[in-house]
Amino acid sequence: MKRNGLRNNKITINKINNMSIEEVRNRFKEDIDALTYFEQLRWGNKTHCAYCQSEKVSARQIDNRFHCSSCRKTFSVTAGTFLHGSKIPLKGWLYAFASISNTTGRFSIRQLQKDINVSYTTAWQMYQDIKKLLPDLNKENIVAGNMFDYMCRKAIAVTGEKKTEVVTEPLAVLV
């Protein structure tokens, strides 16, 4: 079914065992597939406003954003989450989660760079960001086969942290 020019895929969300890069490529062929997957993880079948929690939300627009009729804000599935503001497509993050969850021993940032076709610096930063998601890894007793699922759910969980603006003071003028 198409809605506003976009496919409306319904993906059943169960716990997904670790997926290889190839399995991620096969399951999430287009960016809209990854978007729909994260929408199902975050909201299930009923979308809520990311700001006021209202259910008076429009269908996903052509720019992949929703519009809330209550607070009149637009938002995407990543609003208020670990993935908010990222320029990496959601499919790229899924590749990174798959790559990291299937690693035994040392992780190769060069391999991640090749897998998702980004610069070394971007791959390194993604790896550092993902490591921040996993500080409580041992506390949560994750079953070994569900690392990919855990990372996806953790990434889309609302963080509640507001990004602080950097205030720069004007330079003093020498007279």
Side-chain angles (χ1 to χ4, degrees):
M1 167 187 239
K2 287 194 175 190
R3 181 175 20 163
N4 294 333
L6 299 174
R7 286 190 347 217
N8 182 19
N9 296 340
K10 289 292 179 190
I11 298 175
T12 55
I13 302 298
N14 297 324
K15 288 201 171 204
I16 299 174
N17 290 335
N18 283 349
M19 294 178 79
S20 68
I21 293 290
E22 197 57 40
E23 290 170 323
V24 169
R25 281 194 181 114
N26 290 336
R27 182 164 179 187
F28 304 103
K29 293 182 189 257
E30 297 177 26
D31 289 330
I32 193 71
D33 298 328
L35 183 74
T36 304
Y37 173 70
F38 279 116
E39 286 173 0
Q40 287 290 315
L41 272 181
R42 183 169 182 179
W43 295 307
N45 292 327
K46 191 67 175 171
T47 306
H48 295 79
C49 175
Y51 299 103
C52 71
Q53 303 305 314
S54 171
E55 292 183 1
K56 295 179 182 177
V57 175
S58 71
R60 185 184 332 117
Q61 302 300 310
I62 197 75
D63 63 350
N64 295 329
R65 298 183 64 77
F66 296 93
H67 177 79
C68 177
S69 297
S70 297
C71 69
R72 300 193 154 298
K73 292 185 179 182
T74 62
F75 60 95
S76 70
V77 69
T78 61
T81 69
F82 167 79
L83 300 172
H84 185 80
S86 174
K87 294 181 182 179
I88 306 296
L90 293 177
K91 200 162 80 168
W93 282 104
L94 288 173
Y95 291 159
F97 296 154
S99 183
I100 291 169
S101 66
N102 287 307
T103 299
T104 55
R106 292 187 69 182
F107 179 73
S108 170
I109 294 175
R110 289 261 184 234
Q111 187 60 48
L112 179 61
Q113 174 190 5
K114 290 176 187 173
D115 288 343
I116 61 177
N117 196 25
V118 294
S119 71
Y120 180 85
T121 308
T122 301
W124 181 85
Q125 187 60 54
M126 288 176 75
Y127 179 65
Q128 297 304 315
D129 289 345
I130 291 170
K131 279 182 16 181
K132 290 177 192 171
L133 276 181
L134 307 174
D136 54 350
L137 190 59
N138 294 332
K139 296 177 192 170
E140 303 234 358
N141 295 327
I142 300 166
V143 178
N146 290 329
M147 179 61 85
F148 177 82
D149 180 68
Y150 174 80
M151 282 193 267
C152 290
R153 290 177 189 275
K154 190 88 168 171
I156 206 65
V158 177
T159 60
E161 297 173 6
K162 301 268 183 188
K163 294 199 176 197
T164 57
E165 293 181 22
V166 177
V167 178
T168 56
E169 296 293 325
L171 296 174
V173 178
L174 297 174
V175 184

